[in-house]
Amino acid sequence: MTVFIIRRLMQAALVVLVMSFLVFSGVFLVGDPTEILVADDADQAERQAIIESLGLDKPFHIQYLRFLQKAAQGNLGESFVFNEPALQLIMDRLPATMELAVAALLISVVLGIPLGVIAGLRPEAAYSKIIMTGSILGFSLPTFWVGIMMIILFSVQLGWLPSTGRGDEIHYVLGFPTSLLTLDGWSHVLLPAVNLALFKLSAVTRLARAGTREVVHQDYVKFARAKGLTDRRVIFVHVLKNILIPVVTVLGLEFGGLVAFSVVTETIFAWPGIGKLLIDSIGLLDRPVIVAYLMIIVLLFVFLNLAVDICYSLLDPRVRLQDIKA
Amino acid sequence: MAKSDVPTLEVRNLQTHFFTRAGEVKAVNDVSFTVRPGEVLGLVGESGSGKTVTGFSIMGLVDEPGRIVGGEILYKGENIANAPDERMRRLRGNNIAMIFQDPMMTLNPVLRVDTQMIEAIQAHENVSRDEAWERSRAALEQVGIPAAEERLKSYPHQFSGGMRQRVAIAIALLNKPDLIVADEPTTALDVTIQGQILYEVQKLCEETGTAMIWITHDLSVVAGLADEICVMYAGKVVEHGTVDDVLDNPTHPYTHGLISSVPSRNKRGQPLSQIPGMTPSLLNLPKGCPFKTRCPRVGPDCDIEPEITHPVPARDVRCHYPVAAGEAAAVPTPEVTA
Ligand SMILES: Nc1ncnc2c1ncn2[C@@H]1O[C@H](COP(=O)(O)OP(=O)(O)OP(=O)(O)O)[C@@H](O)[C@H]1O
Ligand code: SF4
Ligand SMILES: [Mg+2]
C-alpha cells in the first residue's frame, strides 16, 4: 500500500510537470496581455516598464523556468489584475466551488443510484422507461439552457429560490467557509447544484441501471435468493455492493469534472467560485490566474485518481492496490 | 434407510415453460417423481434436458420469461408450485436448499464468507450474530474445510473451486433442510475432489435423514449415490425406477445409449458407443417422440407421442418399443469414440 502510494505520487509529480509545460505554453500562445494591462494613454516608456516588471519581455523558456522555480515554492505568480497572488485568489474561491460540486455529487448519488436500480430491476416497466428518457434529456440538454430555464421557472415565475450568489449566512467549519449549514444557504445552493448535477445524475442513473441489470442475472444473486434472503437484503447488500464499484470509480474520476465544468453553472448563477474567476480571468487575459487555475485542476484530478484507486481496493476485495495498473 | 409415509417432495406433471420472443420453450414438460426422507434421487440427462429448470421450479426461482404453467410440487403434502413469494422465501434455504452448478459463481465476490453464511441463518431464525457465526464455523468444519475460523474471514476469491463448492454445501446444510437440490455440484471439480465431496455428502444425508435430488449428466456418479433415478430427455422423464434396476436393465433406448457411453470394468476392451446427434431444439421438437431423430429403435408408432408404460414392474418408461431384458438395443452402427 505505502509503496503503491509513493509510486503513484511520483507519477503524479511527473504528470503535473508535463501539464505545467503544456498549460504554460498554451496560455503563452493565446495572447499578449499587455494590450489589456497597459492604459491607453500610457507612453512607450511606461509601457516598457510594465512589460519588464511582469517579465513579459523575456523569451519563452526563461519565463517558463522562472515560473517553475517560483511554482516549486508555492508561488504561481501574481494576478495582473488584482495584484494578489494567483494561488491566493483561487484558494479564496475554491471552497465555494467545492461546496457546489459536493452538493451536486450528493444529488447525483442520492437520486441516481436508486433511480438506476429501480430501472434496472424492472427494465420493461413504464416508470423505468420514464427514468431512462429523463436521463437522456439530462445528458443532451445544454447545461446553460437548463440553468436559465430553472432560473425562469423557480426564481422568476414561482419565486421559490434565489437565482444568484451563495447568500450571506456563511459559517466556518474547520476553517472552511460554507453555506450548507443554514436553510438559506441550501436555498441558494440548490438550483446551481441541481443544474451542475444533471449530467452526472444521468450518468449515475445509467451506470446503476446497467450494473443492476448485469448483476441481478448473476448466479450469486440467485444463490442469495436460494438462501431465503428477503428481496430487500438481496438488493441492498448483494446487488448494491457490486454495482457500487463502477459507480464509485466513475464518480470519483468525474468529481474533478464537476469542479472543472462548474464554470458554466457558476457563470449563470453568479456563484462566487473558481469557475467564475476563470471566466473573468480569461476575459482579461490574466495569465497567472489562468495558469494557476489549470494547475490546481490538474492536481485535483491526480489526487482524485489516487483516491478512487484506494476506494476501489476497499470496495472490491479481489483488487489489491499493487495490481492496479498505474 | 428410513422411509416414511409422507414423501418429502412429490413432483406431479410439472411443466415449466419459457415464453421467449422466438417462441415457447417447454424446458420442463411433464416431470413427475417422489423423494422420501433420507433418499437420494438422481436426475440424469444431457445438457439442456431441463434438469436445472426442474430444480429452480422446486425452489420457486424460475425467472422471467419462465413460468410454472402446470402440475404440482408437493412439499410434505403442501403444493408450493406458484406459492406466494413470502411462503417460498421461508422455505428456501430453510426447508429446501440448493447447491448450484458452478461453484465459481455462486458466492458473492464482494462479501466475506462469514457474511454470506450468517445471513443465511438470520434470514430464518432470530439468533445472535455470535451464535450464527459459531454455527457457520461448525458447518465449514463439517464439510471438511480446515482452519474454518480463519476461512470465515476470507473472501470467495481466496478459495479454490473445490473449496468454494464446499462452502456452498455448508451453506445449504446450515439450516438443516429436509431436502437438498444439488445441481451437478461436482461436475466442475476434478475427480479426486469430486469423490471426496460425494462421499461426504452421502454421509451427511444418511446421518441427518435429508432427502436429496442429485442432478447430473454423469451416470457413474448416480450409480454409487442414488436410490432412484429419473432419466430426462427434452423436458420429459423418459425412464424412472430404482438405480440398480435401471442401470442393470435399461428399457428406454435413450437410457440404453447413456449407459453404453459410460466406460466400465465389465465392458473393458469393447468400444464405447455414443448417442448420435444432439438434443433437438426445444422450440421445434419433432412431432411424436422427441427422441425419434436419434433413436436406433424408431418404428411406425413413434410419430405418436408415447405415454408412460410399465414394461417391467416398478418402472415408468415413455417409449413405444422398450428394450426387453437381455436384448441388445439394436443399435445399427454405434459411433465409435474410443
Ligand atoms: N431464461 C431462459 N429463457 C429461455 N430458455 C431457457 C431459460 N433458461 C433455460 N432455458 C431453456 O431450458 C432448457 C433446459 O435448460 P436447463 O438449464 O434446465 O438444462 P440442464 O439440463 O440443466 O442442462 P445442463 O446440463 O447444461 O446444465 C434449455 O433448452 C434452455 O434453453
Ligand atoms: S418411442 Fe420410438 S423413437 Fe421414441 S424412444 Fe421409443 S422407439 Fe425410440
Ligand atoms: Mg443445468
Side-chain angles (χ1 to χ4, degrees):
Chain A
M1 180 99 168
T2 334
V3 174
F4 169 80
I5 291 176
I6 290 172
R7 214 175 59 209
R8 280 301 289 270
L9 285 177
M10 279 160 53
Q11 285 169 345
L14 192 70
V15 169
V16 170
L17 188 69
V18 171
M19 281 308 295
S20 76
F21 179 75
L22 293 177
V23 165
F24 194 84
S25 37
V27 173
F28 190 85
L29 289 174
V30 168
D32 184 354
T34 40
E35 293 310 322
I36 294 168
L37 291 171
V38 180
D40 288 341
D41 52 357
D43 61 27
Q44 199 55 38
E46 279 174 323
R47 196 184 161 83
Q48 198 55 39
I50 290 174
I51 289 176
E52 271 171 37
S53 79
L54 295 175
L56 293 175
D57 54 338
K58 303 281 191 307
F60 171 77
H61 67 274
I62 302 285
Q63 285 193 35
Y64 177 61
L65 285 178
R66 264 203 192 168
F67 163 77
L68 274 191
Q69 197 179 18
K70 286 193 193 153
Q73 298 157 1
N75 177 0
L76 291 174
E78 290 225 335
S79 160
F80 297 158
V81 179
F82 296 89
N83 286 324
E84 261 185 69
L87 196 58
Q88 188 59 44
L89 278 172
I90 287 170
M91 285 308 171
D92 285 347
R93 286 162 178 76
L94 194 59
T97 296
M98 283 298 176
E99 179 177 295
L100 188 62
V102 167
L105 187 75
L106 282 179
I107 291 171
S108 327
V109 172
V110 170
L111 291 179
I113 292 179
L115 286 176
V117 171
I118 289 170
L121 289 175
R122 293 251 173 283
E124 298 301 325
Y127 55 75
S128 304
K129 296 199 166 132
I130 294 172
I131 292 172
M132 291 328 281
T133 312
S135 82
I136 292 172
L137 288 181
F139 257 133
S140 41
L141 293 178
T143 307
F144 71 90
W145 184 83
V146 176
I148 292 167
M149 288 301 135
M150 286 166 71
I151 291 178
I152 292 178
L153 184 63
F154 294 104
S155 303
V156 181
Q157 299 280 344
L158 298 170
W160 289 351
L161 295 165
S163 66
T164 57
R166 64 193 293 219
D168 305 321
E169 300 180 27
I170 309 278
H171 294 262
Y172 283 82
V173 177
L174 303 172
F176 291 105
T178 173
S179 54
L180 293 183
L181 294 181
T182 62
L183 212 58
D184 175 70
W186 270 100
S187 77
H188 278 89
V189 87
L190 197 61
L191 279 188
V194 169
N195 183 238
L196 183 59
L198 226 48
F199 200 82
K200 292 289 167 285
L201 173 62
S202 309
V204 170
T205 306
R206 300 186 79 86
L207 215 59
R209 185 185 94 116
T212 306
R213 289 197 63 178
E214 192 189 315
V215 169
V216 289
H217 289 116
Q218 298 289 327
D219 268 6
Y220 57 76
V221 170
K222 203 155 201 168
F223 188 66
R225 288 164 63 207
K227 292 192 292 193
L229 303 186
T230 56
D231 287 351
R232 197 161 7 120
R233 184 158 174 104
V234 172
I235 292 167
F236 283 97
V237 177
H238 287 259
V239 175
L240 203 59
K241 198 143 188 236
N242 277 283
I243 65 165
L244 277 184
I245 295 169
V247 170
V248 165
T249 311
V250 169
L251 273 182
L253 293 176
E254 303 229 328
F255 183 74
L258 273 180
V259 173
F261 299 118
S262 65
V263 172
V264 176
T265 301
E266 287 186 8
T267 309
I268 299 170
F269 291 90
W271 189 262
I274 55 172
K276 195 161 170 306
L277 175 70
L278 176 72
I279 291 291
D280 295 344
S281 304
I282 290 175
L284 299 169
L285 281 182
D286 194 348
R287 253 202 237 169
V289 178
I290 301 174
V291 172
Y293 171 89
L294 292 173
M295 292 313 298
I296 293 290
I297 294 290
V298 169
L299 278 176
L300 185 72
F301 270 92
V302 166
F303 168 76
L304 284 171
N305 269 318
L306 184 61
V308 165
D309 282 347
I310 292 171
C311 280
Y312 194 68
S313 76
L314 294 178
L315 270 177
D316 190 340
R318 290 163 295 186
V319 177
R320 283 170 307 140
L321 284 176
Q322 285 81 351
D323 302 337
I324 299 177
K325 295 279 177 295
Chain B
M1 209 150 288
K3 297 208 176 181
S4 109
D5 283 347
V6 184
T8 310
L9 191 82
E10 204 177 339
V11 175
R12 287 191 196 147
N13 309 106
L14 178 68
Q15 290 182 299
T16 304
H17 297 182
F18 289 88
F19 299 87
T20 65
R21 285 217 182 106
E24 188 175 344
V25 178
K26 298 179 177 171
V28 175
N29 198 10
D30 200 353
V31 164
S32 305
F33 54 78
T34 302
V35 207
R36 282 167 225 284
E39 265 186 15
V40 178
L41 174 93
L43 205 56
V44 189
E46 289 172 314
S47 192
S49 54
K51 308 181 296 291
T52 299
V53 175
T54 304
F56 282 156
S57 302
I58 295 166
M59 298 294 291
L61 286 176
V62 178
D63 287 324
E64 292 283 299
R67 257 199 335 268
I68 298 177
V69 293
E72 291 179 322
I73 300 168
L74 301 175
Y75 168 72
K76 292 186 172 170
E78 173 194 354
N79 186 9
I80 57 167
N82 295 317
D85 289 348
E86 180 57 19
R87 175 66 189 138
M88 283 317 292
R89 184 193 74 71
R90 284 177 186 282
L91 286 174
R92 278 198 290 266
N94 195 23
N95 305 72
I96 310 175
M98 185 159 174
I99 305 164
F100 285 21
Q101 206 161 352
D102 183 358
M104 301 311 274
M105 301 299 297
T106 29
L107 298 175
N108 194 322
V110 302
L111 297 175
R112 278 185 2 194
V113 167
D114 55 357
T115 313
Q116 303 193 48
M117 296 189 80
I118 289 167
E119 68 179 2
I121 297 174
Q122 290 184 329
H124 301 287
E125 255 177 278
N126 201 355
V127 295
S128 72
R129 214 193 119 82
D130 285 349
E131 196 184 329
W133 187 90
E134 177 51 36
R135 267 167 63 181
S136 307
R137 193 192 55 76
L140 284 189
E141 273 176 6
Q142 198 180 3
V143 296
I145 292 187
E149 211 151 304
E150 270 165 54
R151 300 307 260 158
L152 272 172
K153 292 195 207 95
S154 314
Y155 285 94
H157 70 95
Q158 292 163 309
F159 289 77
S160 67
M163 281 296 165
R164 284 193 216 190
Q165 197 61 297
R166 281 169 199 260
V167 173
I169 293 170
I171 290 176
L173 294 172
L174 274 176
N175 295 310
K176 307 212 167 19
D178 307 311
L179 175 69
I180 297 177
V181 180
D183 188 359
E184 309 205 31
T186 56
T187 313
L189 309 175
D190 69 55
V191 182
T192 349
I193 294 169
Q194 184 174 341
Q196 284 171 11
I197 290 187
L198 277 179
Y199 169 76
E200 281 160 18
V201 168
Q202 195 174 20
K203 205 176 66 179
L204 287 168
C205 272
E206 267 168 24
E207 283 167 7
T208 56
T210 309
M212 184 142 71
I213 297 173
W214 192 280
I215 297 175
T216 180
H217 54 246
D218 187 346
L219 272 178
S220 57
V221 168
V222 170
L225 186 72
D227 303 297
E228 285 190 23
I229 179 172
C230 277
V231 180
M232 283 189 72
Y233 186 81
K236 287 191 182 343
V237 174
V238 294
E239 182 152 17
H240 176 197
T242 65
V243 165
D244 296 340
D245 282 359
V246 171
L247 294 186
D248 289 347
N249 179 18
T251 57
H252 195 282
Y254 176 65
T255 318
H256 225 278
L258 277 183
I259 292 172
S260 37
S261 62
V262 176
S264 77
R265 199 182 306 190
N266 51 17
K267 285 193 295 188
R268 183 176 288 176
Q270 294 175 24
L272 286 176
S273 62
Q274 196 187 28
I275 304 169
M278 285 176 17
T279 317
S281 156
L282 293 177
L283 277 171
N284 44 20
L285 285 176
K287 201 167 81 56
C289 175
F291 190 52
K292 75 178 180 190
T293 48
R294 304 164 69 187
C295 181
R297 293 173 73 85
V298 61
D301 286 350
C302 300
D303 290 337
I304 305 161
E305 170 121 37
E307 291 301 320
I308 291 178
T309 56
H310 312 282
V312 288
R315 187 84 60 90
D316 305 331
V317 182
R318 273 180 202 275
C319 176
H320 292 298
Y321 306 106
V323 185
E327 183 192 354
V331 184
T333 38
E335 269 173 46
V336 175
T337 55

